[in-house]
Amino acid sequence: MRILICDDARDCVERLQRYVGQYMRRHGVGAEFVATTDSAAAAADERLYDLAFLDVEMEPVGGIEIAKRLKQRNDRVVIFLVTAYDAYLDAAMDLHVFRFFEKPFDEQRLYAGLDRAMEHIDKSSVDVFLRSEGRYLRVFADDILFVKTENRRTYVQTLDAEYVTRGNIDEWCERLPKTFFYPVHKSYLVNLHYVTEYSYQALCVQGAYRIPIASRRQAVFRKHWFLYLQRR
């Protein structure tokens, strides 16, 4: 999960990163942070983000403008705004801002907001375009059971069919939501929503597909699996 934190006060950036980082570690969610006081750089950043914490009043680019640009790149990004002024409420409503926070941050309120955000991300649908037989097919990410590589080819198994497509497992890890897709093996990326049976060495997906868990990932995945169940 990629998270942007932008505030012109360095202490606020550091505090937010510490709190959010602690939350993600407790919930077994891998997080990549971009934490900055440079609002111009944040506005120009073309990376896709899953979460963003933005101070409204920054120079030279305010948080509302950065939020607009983030939404243009990824409409499903969850935005948290930091402000004490109601004057920004209308603009925030238009952007479907997830929650407002005031300084200093209330840690428990922040964690409650993150709980809701994680539920929202888990339930959100992401469009993925698959190339198959010269055609491009549009599917929802949550209709994908797993992605696998075999004999230098990449296969996407959906609820309805299997497709040959482009990209390796690392590239698919970047494209699909990290909250419920997990690379249990160098050749398999699994949608945890469809796991029907779990043992230390393997998963059963949709009651039909047995997928091995790489030996070096078994202990880490076990922890991730039980944290995932707690979120459900």
Side-chain angles (χ1 to χ4, degrees):
M1 174 175 291
R2 184 174 290 140
I3 302 170
L4 172 65
I5 299 174
C6 187
D7 193 303
D8 54 9
R10 171 57 60 185
D11 62 325
C12 290
V13 170
E14 293 174 350
R15 190 177 303 116
L16 262 176
Q17 184 171 355
R18 183 170 67 253
Y19 288 162
V20 178
Q22 290 171 350
Y23 178 94
M24 295 300 171
R25 286 190 294 273
R26 283 204 303 266
H27 289 78
V29 178
E32 172 192 343
F33 285 93
V34 175
T36 181
T37 58
D38 187 341
S39 61
D45 187 349
E46 295 188 354
R47 284 173 288 191
L48 302 181
Y49 287 94
D50 302 294
L51 287 175
F53 295 84
L54 306 171
D55 186 13
V56 169
E57 295 193 315
M58 293 185 291
E59 294 292 342
V61 185
I64 295 290
E65 178 59 31
I66 296 174
K68 290 178 181 178
R69 299 187 190 189
L70 294 178
K71 284 282 188 178
Q72 288 171 356
R73 299 177 193 122
N74 175 22
D75 186 55
R76 289 165 296 277
V77 61
V78 174
I79 304 288
F80 291 86
L81 288 180
V82 181
T83 181
Y85 299 100
D86 293 343
Y88 298 102
L89 285 174
D90 288 343
M93 290 286 286
D94 291 341
L95 289 168
H96 304 290
V97 166
F98 209 77
R99 179 163 285 193
F100 281 95
F101 288 104
E102 296 181 359
K103 300 177 185 178
F105 302 109
D106 182 309
E107 186 176 350
Q108 294 309 311
R109 186 166 183 261
L110 172 64
Y111 290 155
L114 284 169
D115 283 341
R116 289 183 55 220
M118 296 300 287
E119 291 175 7
H120 174 80
I121 292 170
D122 259 3
K123 294 175 182 177
S124 66
S125 59
V126 180
D127 294 339
V128 180
F129 287 87
L130 302 174
R131 183 174 181 180
S132 179
E133 300 176 354
R135 300 173 298 147
Y136 281 91
L137 306 174
R138 181 186 183 187
V139 301
F140 292 118
D142 201 30
D143 288 344
I144 296 173
L145 303 182
F146 58 85
V147 181
K148 71 174 180 178
T149 56
E150 186 175 54
N151 298 325
R152 298 184 180 181
R153 305 186 81 180
T154 299
Y155 301 86
V156 173
Q157 179 66 53
T158 71
L159 289 166
D160 303 316
E162 180 184 82
Y163 301 96
V164 180
T165 187
R166 293 180 176 179
N168 57 35
I169 291 296
D170 289 339
E171 291 170 330
W172 278 94
C173 281
E174 283 296 308
R175 296 173 65 184
L176 295 172
K178 295 177 179 60
T179 53
F180 57 92
F181 276 90
Y182 195 94
V184 297
H185 189 283
K186 69 178 181 180
S187 300
Y188 284 94
L189 176 64
V190 176
N191 185 341
L192 301 183
H193 290 171
Y194 293 102
V195 173
T196 52
E197 185 178 334
Y198 163 67
S199 67
Y200 198 66
Q201 297 178 331
L203 299 172
C204 185
V205 175
Q206 197 71 346
Y209 305 94
R210 185 181 185 278
I211 295 176
I213 304 172
S215 57
R216 65 185 180 87
R217 302 186 186 186
Q218 288 169 357
V220 175
F221 177 72
R222 181 179 179 83
K223 180 179 179 181
H224 183 88
W225 172 247
F226 286 110
L227 288 170
Y228 164 80
L229 291 179
Q230 289 175 19
R231 294 204 312 271
R232 305 296 290 173

